[in-house]
Amino acid sequence: MSSTEPRRSIATVCLSGTLADKLTAAARAGFDGVEIFENDLIASSWSAKEISEHCAELGLSIDLYQPFRDFEAVPPDVLARNLRRAELKFDVMEQLGAGTMLVCSSVSPDAVDDDELAADQLHLLAERAAARGIRIAYEALAWGRFVNTYEHSWRIVRRAAHPALGLCLDSFHILSRGSDPAAIRTIPGEKLFFLQLADAPRLQMDVLQWSRHHRLFPGQGAFDLTAFTGNVLAAGYRGPLSLEVFNDVFRQADPAPAAVDAMRSLLALQETLGVTDVPPAPELAGHAFVELAVDDVSEPRLAEALSGLGFAETGRHRSKPVRLWQQGDARILLNRTASGQQGSASVGAVAVESADPVGSARRAQRLLAPPLPRDHRAGEADLSAIAAPDGTSVFFCRTGAETGDSWLGDFTVTEPAGPGTGVTKIDHLALAQPFDHFDEAALFYRAVLGLEPEPVTEFAAPFGLVRSRTVADPSGRVRIALQSALLRRGDWAPKVREPQCVALSTGDALASARRMRERGAPLLEIPGNYYDDLDARLAPEPALLAALREQSVLYDRDEHGELLHFFTVVLGGRVFFEVVQRIGAYAGDGAANSPVRMAAHRRQREAGA
Amino acid sequence: MSSTEPRRSIATVCLSGTLADKLTAAARAGFDGVEIFENDLIASSWSAKEISEHCAELGLSIDLYQPFRDFEAVPPDVLARNLRRAELKFDVMEQLGAGTMLVCSSVSPDAVDDDELAADQLHLLAERAAARGIRIAYEALAWGRFVNTYEHSWRIVRRAAHPALGLCLDSFHILSRGSDPAAIRTIPGEKLFFLQLADAPRLQMDVLQWSRHHRLFPGQGAFDLTAFTGNVLAAGYRGPLSLEVFNDVFRQADPAPAAVDAMRSLLALQETLGVTDVPPAPELAGHAFVELAVDDVSEPRLAEALSGLGFAETGRHRSKPVRLWQQGDARILLNRTASGQQGSASVGAVAVESADPVGSARRAQRLLAPPLPRDHRAGEADLSAIAAPDGTSVFFCRTGAETGDSWLGDFTVTEPAGPGTGVTKIDHLALAQPFDHFDEAALFYRAVLGLEPEPVTEFAAPFGLVRSRTVADPSGRVRIALQSALLRRGDWAPKVREPQCVALSTGDALASARRMRERGAPLLEIPGNYYDDLDARLAPEPALLAALREQSVLYDRDEHGELLHFFTVVLGGRVFFEVVQRIGAYAGDGAANSPVRMAAHRRQREAGA
């Protein structure tokens, strides 16, 4: 860590569980400190003193006690009650060893719109706090009754003029209102007592609800946290970068990976701020291979399907039960990981071509991606591998390297590739993510692999809403669509694990479909109603429409180009293939056709295919 | 059914699954017709003709084909394309046998703000439709680009003056904007071609998102659908009452119970409109008993706990393995339903005192509550029972009736009730509901039992957000708190079924707690931090605070009164008891204390108690 690197903290409210769960998760993810959220303390059986000791053992400082509400600009009798309340909280803070208390701008009906009164009373509070060695960080809530901008809170703090009174800046409260953070630079750094960071998607809704339910870790939403934080650091702020994220999903998710996700968001933010030692992301040049985990029953089924799609088994691994199937630059490994008889198949690993596999792995490790130990023999390639949030292995490799360094050297050639069906390479993967890890996954691929997230889209599938977000390298050569069923996607629906798609590129979808059908590939049938609607909606040329209908090829068009694509049935319970032809600069993945594809897959399952 | 009772329909978009799933569910719930949502048809492998035949077999008419978008007020070239699109959809509608098409007001950038042009083009569309025997129902979307009120859509329809052109009124589009529905009465009934009904909670958010994700069935939200529908019927509308509800939860829930929920919402709406034959709800006078399903292992544990709480085993059922435990008017039945060795316990049945049990059961059946067959011998009481959405049995009984009619007569008296600990009756129950059935459950208890739902509340529990809604009779003698974990509540958290609470009344919580402790009741310990915060927050008298702290009794206060309450540990994996003292007219259930209680229960589980 460079000496100028800021400390990193997290509010306990970001994580799920009891206070003990939260502190353990924060410490294991490498945080330096925590904000103690009052409700977490109240529900804990540890006394404040015990919490303090526990944090010390975990190496966590207690950077903030929060929140203290509805203090300022009130009549004398309310002030007396509020001061009593504050003194009782100072007692707790002394036991905790917490030096700073967050005071939110008032939303109370008791308060009046009087900056001078607010400043006087905050001065009084700061005086009381100072006597206990405590500082007051005053924060403008975006929905504060009278004080709801940082400029306003700063005017009051300046007027109060007490050394123990400063500001807390919260990126959500400032950016959600569209305030310009540039003026933060004009505030003296020593009056910036605390910085809370939260991102959020742009939502048109009540700001209080938006704040309480939909905040995200930096880099997961739509706010420009680099510019915001840059202004705060430029003003001379020297406290921790602290996350305060209220999010319905994180509130109920395992706190251990959530804390890692949180820390990764800060490391990635520091990188864009230039205060980091994270090594840069090497360029990625495409998908090297996809490995499917198969068993005794599913391997022959997958092999038959791959053969139908025009792949040939071109190699066998020298020491492992792994077969290489190839067509053009599309490579699929079938890894018979277990000798089970379940008939299951799933995507076990994704391999990307990296200009510097070792550099990619080093960056991944610095960004807290769990490294995967690889079992390889002397003379075999040492592939660097990490685990993605959903457990998929991600390999970094250079297929075109000298034989001794290429993973291809580990395979004996069994057969040359045949004429094929027009497939040239892997176009993209679509991987269903566990609901709890959707935002984490997008941040993982962005930060660790350096892929760019495209906008989040949602569509209504037959069994509920599906959210989708594609991450891709700038040239579009590596492309992964992350998908997640909102809510639970039908306990009543057939019990299948969310499917995974391996999408292959072709230059001529109709010709590929024809040749694949001739070879017996298990292609998915699309109903006639789809083509009637396509005619009404996009009116393709009659000959094209007829060919699409005949071959069960789906179609989409945007302002940049066209997409022709078709699918196999689901194989091994979870995996299916897609074949994609992009015409012009069509940028999407045909999401509009997904509900039709999903209903067709449901029929296939019902038919027991 | 009375001859003036309207027909009832449902849009396929309300339900989850494929078109086949949806139609089956709608027919089984007793709907007369459906609106076919275009996307459902497009994804179906049935041709329009086959769908028509299938609906006819199920006894469903196809009342509407929807939606047709972005038609009117466009330049000539766009109009030509739109007319081609319409003719292709008319082809589908002819095959379907659907007589009415829904046309939504335009949101297209191609459209212009010109009522005369809109009217002319809609006239043209109606002319084309009429030639095919089809009618056009024009609807103002709340977010329509130029036409977004029903008054405006009516001006255009009146101006177009074509017999095949009329209005579709949608309660959401009208009530979400706060429009006054009274003027609907001025529209001639024969120009009201279709009525779509949806309720919704009051949300401060973008109206399009509100509409697409958060609609509810009538009576589940905040809109006054009785007044709205009354205006439409008063205008002379004679078409079906049709539900069009876009809801994220319903989209992924089992369509069979969802369709029943939908039908129940219409039956309840008809009752408030006075167009119904549903028998009125007899008065309820309190909780008669709660039955816990126990097994060989859990029964002794529950018996010991009940004894500690001051209950005595006062009776045994003459023919079933059921024991009656009693204190004051609080009665708990332990029903050893199975001889399992799991140690589990759960609320199996809730019994309410009804002024007319047979009348209550008759009403319940008319409102589609599944009746439960009861196994009773000659001379035993024939208790009327139905199943609530979560599977709990609900009994209607008259405990104070002549012996031959009272369920108490089925029990032989084994022991007189002892002096007890001050418990007088059952105060309320808190029943965790499956997430998918939360809104359904509230409507069920409101419609079937005639209970009044209180506002929905939400609180942040240690493992995620919890939503809560209490239903109670006007006198508060029957009171059931429905609770549900939003999202999935932590797969990572301890795998326990959501707990159920039986809350008992006392006139003196501190005295009851003391006596129960003396008797060895397994009471839940509350941490000291809670009382420190209570002092800061509500400042109870020091003597009271000390007593609360000593007895682990929690406290709350509102503008009407006070609440003192305490809890047992969780017994049999799922059930716990609460003891409640209400002072003054305190109306809530101490929800603010729930997170503290939940964290304490979590500690108990971890300690293996």
Side-chain angles (χ1 to χ4, degrees):
Chain A
M1 194 195 291
S2 80
S3 62
T4 59
E5 209 177 351
R7 300 177 67 255
R8 289 174 289 250
S9 299
I10 185 168
T12 55
V13 75
C14 301
L15 302 171
S16 184
T18 62
L19 185 58
D21 297 326
K22 295 168 185 228
L23 295 176
T24 302
R28 289 203 183 142
F31 281 95
D32 304 300
V34 290
E35 304 175 25
I36 298 281
F37 182 57
E38 185 172 74
N39 297 28
D40 286 321
L41 178 134
I42 291 168
S44 174
S45 63
W46 289 335
S47 69
K49 185 112 188 72
E50 287 165 338
I51 293 169
S52 170
E53 290 162 6
H54 196 75
C55 285
E57 276 166 33
L58 291 169
L60 294 170
S61 59
I62 298 180
D63 295 328
L64 192 75
Y65 183 79
Q66 62 117 341
F68 192 76
R69 298 187 190 279
D70 295 336
F71 173 79
E72 77 282 13
V74 291
D77 59 323
V78 180
L79 177 65
R81 287 205 302 274
N82 288 352
L83 285 171
R84 174 182 184 275
R85 185 158 58 94
E87 292 284 0
L88 287 170
K89 295 301 177 186
F90 292 157
D91 293 345
V92 174
M93 291 177 66
E94 277 185 345
Q95 298 288 311
L96 274 179
T100 308
M101 174 191 262
L102 176 73
V103 174
C104 302
S105 63
S106 182
V107 300
S108 167
D110 290 334
V112 296
D113 186 9
D114 182 339
D115 285 3
E116 194 170 334
L117 186 62
D120 286 352
Q121 297 184 346
L122 284 167
H123 184 102
L124 187 58
L125 181 68
E127 192 68 24
R128 299 278 195 105
R132 316 275 289 249
I134 289 169
R135 305 195 308 171
I136 301 295
Y138 183 57
E139 173 184 67
L141 297 178
W143 55 90
R145 188 157 168 231
F146 302 115
V147 179
N148 42 44
T149 65
Y150 77 90
E151 295 94 334
H152 194 172
S153 59
W154 169 229
R155 287 198 300 274
I156 290 173
V157 164
R158 193 165 43 185
R159 182 192 284 251
H162 193 288
L165 180 68
L167 284 182
C168 174
L169 298 180
D170 179 311
S171 61
F172 181 88
H173 291 299
I174 294 170
L175 300 176
S176 65
R177 295 181 56 103
S179 296
D180 180 359
I184 293 172
R185 289 172 181 254
T186 65
I187 303 172
E190 72 273 12
K191 294 307 270 185
L192 298 177
F193 282 9
F194 211 76
L195 172 62
Q196 292 178 318
L197 295 173
D199 203 343
R202 281 265 163 233
L203 297 174
Q204 296 302 317
M205 66 188 300
D206 173 63
V207 70
L208 174 62
Q209 297 301 317
W210 185 17
S211 172
R212 293 263 169 92
H213 298 285
H214 301 286
R215 290 185 177 206
L216 291 168
F217 294 127
Q220 294 177 334
F223 291 163
D224 183 352
L225 286 180
T226 302
F228 175 83
T229 312
N231 282 310
V232 179
L233 296 179
Y237 174 71
R238 291 294 171 264
L241 304 182
S242 189
L243 298 166
E244 191 199 30
V245 171
F246 307 89
N247 178 291
D248 291 353
V249 176
F250 302 156
R251 268 190 199 285
Q252 54 89 62
D254 187 340
V260 169
D261 182 31
M263 176 55 87
R264 187 178 293 130
S265 78
L266 282 183
L267 293 170
L269 175 64
Q270 285 182 227
E271 185 177 34
T272 59
L273 283 165
V275 285
T276 185
D277 58 1
V278 175
E283 190 186 348
L284 302 181
H287 294 272
F289 63 84
V290 172
E291 182 179 286
L292 302 180
V294 294
D295 61 24
D296 294 355
V297 174
S298 61
E299 180 165 14
R301 180 110 207 266
L302 264 294
E304 188 188 344
L306 285 169
S307 175
L309 292 172
F311 283 74
E313 189 192 305
T314 57
R316 297 190 176 195
H317 197 278
R318 295 178 191 278
S319 65
K320 296 174 188 165
V322 180
R323 314 283 175 105
L324 168 62
W325 288 78
Q326 192 160 359
Q327 179 175 190
D329 285 328
R331 299 176 202 90
I332 313 278
L333 304 189
L334 298 187
N335 187 345
R336 198 181 290 211
T337 45
S339 56
Q341 296 283 336
Q342 299 299 308
S344 74
S346 61
V347 173
V350 172
V352 293
E353 301 282 1
S354 167
D356 174 9
V358 173
S360 289
R362 202 177 300 129
R363 174 182 175 83
Q365 207 161 341
R366 182 71 189 88
L367 287 166
L368 307 179
L372 290 175
R374 294 295 302 169
D375 167 32
H376 68 105
R377 301 193 178 184
E380 290 181 0
D382 180 12
L383 289 176
S384 304
I386 55 171
D390 66 350
T392 304
S393 302
V394 178
F395 289 97
F396 300 106
C397 44
R398 287 185 67 187
T399 304
E402 299 295 306
T403 310
D405 283 344
S406 170
W407 62 276
L408 277 176
D410 298 344
F411 286 78
T412 56
V413 176
T414 53
E415 195 187 315
T421 54
V423 168
T424 54
K425 62 187 177 73
I426 293 172
D427 182 86
H428 70 275
L429 300 170
L431 300 178
Q433 301 295 305
F435 164 79
D436 290 355
H437 298 286
F438 184 77
D439 291 308
E440 178 188 351
L443 177 63
F444 174 91
Y445 285 106
R446 179 173 78 78
V448 174
L449 275 71
L451 303 178
E452 282 300 317
E454 297 175 1
V456 174
T457 59
E458 278 182 16
F459 60 88
F463 303 103
L465 288 189
V466 172
R467 187 173 287 172
S468 181
R469 185 170 207 180
T470 295
V471 289
D473 77 303
S475 71
R477 289 176 294 180
V478 173
R479 194 171 169 83
I480 302 173
L482 306 167
Q483 300 193 325
S484 192
L486 296 186
L487 306 179
R488 298 180 305 181
R489 188 169 177 180
D491 279 356
W492 71 276
K495 292 289 177 295
V496 289
R497 294 182 70 198
E498 300 288 338
Q500 301 171 319
C501 172
V502 179
L504 309 165
S505 287
T506 178
D508 185 342
L510 290 166
S512 289
R514 203 169 295 118
R515 273 189 271 170
M516 289 175 182
R517 272 181 203 285
E518 287 164 9
R519 295 173 65 102
L523 301 188
L524 188 69
E525 299 303 324
I526 300 300
N529 296 343
Y530 169 80
Y531 296 97
D532 295 343
D533 177 66
L534 184 63
D535 186 17
R537 200 158 42 87
L538 297 179
E541 289 299 314
L544 174 59
L545 182 67
L548 294 168
R549 190 190 292 263
E550 187 193 335
Q551 296 296 333
S552 276
V553 172
L554 297 101
Y555 180 83
D556 194 24
R557 194 158 67 202
D558 66 14
E559 65 269 41
H560 308 296
E562 293 166 278
L563 177 79
L564 280 73
H565 61 147
F566 58 95
F567 301 91
T568 69
V569 301
V570 175
L571 301 156
R574 196 168 183 205
V575 175
F576 63 94
F577 294 93
E578 178 178 0
V579 181
V580 172
Q581 177 190 2
R582 295 175 187 278
I583 300 173
Y586 179 90
D589 293 312
N593 294 325
S594 291
V596 173
R597 190 268 301 161
M598 288 176 169
H601 273 148
R602 160 78 186 271
R603 279 191 294 276
Q604 170 218 336
R605 287 197 301 273
E606 284 185 335
Chain B
M1 195 195 289
S2 81
S3 61
T4 58
E5 210 177 350
R7 299 176 68 256
R8 289 173 290 249
S9 298
I10 185 168
T12 55
V13 75
C14 301
L15 301 171
S16 183
T18 62
L19 185 59
D21 298 324
K22 296 169 185 228
L23 296 177
T24 301
R28 289 204 182 142
F31 280 95
D32 303 301
V34 290
E35 304 176 24
I36 297 282
F37 182 57
E38 185 172 72
N39 297 29
D40 286 321
L41 178 135
I42 291 168
S44 173
S45 62
W46 289 335
S47 69
K49 187 112 187 71
E50 288 166 335
I51 293 169
S52 170
E53 290 162 5
H54 196 75
C55 285
E57 276 166 32
L58 290 168
L60 293 169
S61 59
I62 297 179
D63 294 329
L64 193 74
Y65 182 79
Q66 62 117 341
F68 192 75
R69 298 186 189 279
D70 294 337
F71 173 79
E72 77 282 14
V74 291
D77 59 323
V78 180
L79 177 65
R81 287 206 300 274
N82 288 352
L83 284 170
R84 174 181 184 276
R85 184 157 59 92
E87 293 284 0
L88 286 169
K89 296 300 177 185
F90 292 158
D91 292 346
V92 174
M93 290 177 66
E94 277 185 345
Q95 297 289 311
L96 275 179
T100 307
M101 174 191 263
L102 175 73
V103 174
C104 302
S105 62
S106 182
V107 299
S108 168
D110 290 332
V112 294
D113 186 9
D114 182 338
D115 284 4
E116 194 169 335
L117 185 63
D120 286 352
Q121 295 184 348
L122 284 167
H123 185 102
L124 186 58
L125 181 67
E127 191 69 23
R128 299 278 195 105
R132 314 276 288 250
I134 289 170
R135 304 195 308 171
I136 301 296
Y138 183 58
E139 174 185 66
L141 297 178
W143 54 90
R145 188 158 168 229
F146 302 115
V147 179
N148 43 44
T149 65
Y150 78 89
E151 295 94 333
H152 194 172
S153 60
W154 169 230
R155 287 197 300 274
I156 289 173
V157 165
R158 193 166 43 185
R159 183 193 282 253
H162 193 290
L165 179 68
L167 284 182
C168 174
L169 299 180
D170 179 309
S171 61
F172 181 88
H173 291 300
I174 294 169
L175 300 176
S176 65
R177 295 182 54 104
S179 296
D180 180 358
I184 292 172
R185 288 172 182 255
T186 66
I187 303 172
E190 71 273 12
K191 295 305 272 186
L192 298 178
F193 281 9
F194 210 76
L195 172 62
Q196 292 179 318
L197 294 173
D199 203 342
R202 281 265 163 232
L203 297 174
Q204 297 300 318
M205 66 188 300
D206 173 63
V207 69
L208 174 61
Q209 296 301 319
W210 185 17
S211 172
R212 293 264 169 92
H213 298 284
H214 302 286
R215 290 185 178 204
L216 291 167
F217 294 127
Q220 294 178 336
F223 291 163
D224 184 353
L225 286 180
T226 302
F228 175 83
T229 312
N231 282 309
V232 179
L233 296 179
Y237 174 72
R238 292 294 172 264
L241 304 183
S242 189
L243 298 166
E244 190 199 29
V245 171
F246 307 90
N247 178 291
D248 290 353
V249 176
F250 303 158
R251 269 191 199 283
Q252 53 89 62
D254 187 339
V260 169
D261 182 31
M263 175 55 87
R264 186 177 295 131
S265 78
L266 283 183
L267 292 169
L269 175 64
Q270 285 182 228
E271 185 177 33
T272 60
L273 284 164
V275 286
T276 185
D277 58 1
V278 176
E283 189 186 349
L284 301 182
H287 294 272
F289 64 83
V290 172
E291 183 178 286
L292 302 180
V294 293
D295 60 24
D296 294 355
V297 173
S298 61
E299 180 165 16
R301 180 112 206 267
L302 264 294
E304 190 188 343
L306 286 170
S307 176
L309 292 171
F311 282 73
E313 189 194 306
T314 58
R316 295 190 178 194
H317 196 279
R318 296 178 192 279
S319 65
K320 296 175 189 164
V322 180
R323 313 284 174 105
L324 168 62
W325 288 78
Q326 193 161 356
Q327 180 176 189
D329 285 328
R331 299 178 202 90
I332 313 278
L333 304 189
L334 297 187
N335 187 345
R336 197 181 291 210
T337 44
S339 56
Q341 296 282 338
Q342 301 298 310
S344 74
S346 61
V347 173
V350 172
V352 293
E353 301 283 0
S354 168
D356 173 10
V358 173
S360 288
R362 202 178 299 128
R363 175 183 174 84
Q365 206 161 340
R366 183 70 190 88
L367 288 166
L368 308 178
L372 291 175
R374 294 295 301 168
D375 167 30
H376 68 105
R377 302 195 177 180
E380 290 181 0
D382 181 12
L383 289 176
S384 305
I386 55 170
D390 66 351
T392 305
S393 302
V394 177
F395 289 96
F396 300 107
C397 45
R398 287 183 69 187
T399 304
E402 297 296 305
T403 309
D405 283 345
S406 169
W407 62 275
L408 278 176
D410 299 345
F411 286 78
T412 55
V413 177
T414 53
E415 195 187 314
T421 54
V423 168
T424 54
K425 62 186 176 74
I426 293 172
D427 182 87
H428 70 275
L429 301 169
L431 300 177
Q433 300 295 306
F435 164 80
D436 290 355
H437 297 286
F438 184 77
D439 290 310
E440 178 188 352
L443 177 63
F444 174 90
Y445 286 106
R446 179 172 79 78
V448 173
L449 274 71
L451 302 179
E452 281 301 317
E454 296 174 1
V456 174
T457 59
E458 278 182 16
F459 60 88
F463 304 104
L465 289 188
V466 173
R467 186 172 287 173
S468 182
R469 185 170 209 182
T470 296
V471 291
D473 78 302
S475 72
R477 288 176 293 181
V478 173
R479 194 170 169 84
I480 301 174
L482 306 167
Q483 300 193 325
S484 192
L486 296 186
L487 306 179
R488 297 180 305 181
R489 188 170 174 179
D491 279 355
W492 72 276
K495 292 289 178 295
V496 289
R497 293 181 68 197
E498 300 287 337
Q500 301 171 318
C501 172
V502 179
L504 309 165
S505 287
T506 178
D508 185 340
L510 290 165
S512 288
R514 201 169 295 119
R515 274 190 269 170
M516 288 174 182
R517 272 181 204 285
E518 286 164 9
R519 295 173 65 101
L523 301 188
L524 188 69
E525 298 303 323
I526 300 300
N529 295 343
Y530 169 80
Y531 296 97
D532 296 343
D533 177 65
L534 184 61
D535 187 16
R537 200 158 41 88
L538 298 180
E541 289 300 313
L544 174 60
L545 182 67
L548 294 168
R549 189 190 292 263
E550 188 194 332
Q551 296 295 336
S552 277
V553 172
L554 297 101
Y555 179 83
D556 194 25
R557 194 158 66 203
D558 66 13
E559 64 271 40
H560 308 296
E562 293 166 278
L563 178 78
L564 280 74
H565 60 146
F566 58 95
F567 301 90
T568 68
V569 302
V570 175
L571 301 156
R574 196 169 183 205
V575 175
F576 62 96
F577 294 92
E578 178 179 2
V579 182
V580 172
Q581 177 190 2
R582 296 176 186 277
I583 300 173
Y586 179 89
D589 293 312
N593 294 326
S594 291
V596 173
R597 190 267 302 161
M598 288 175 169
H601 273 148
R602 160 78 185 273
R603 280 192 293 278
Q604 171 218 336
R605 288 196 301 271
E606 285 185 336

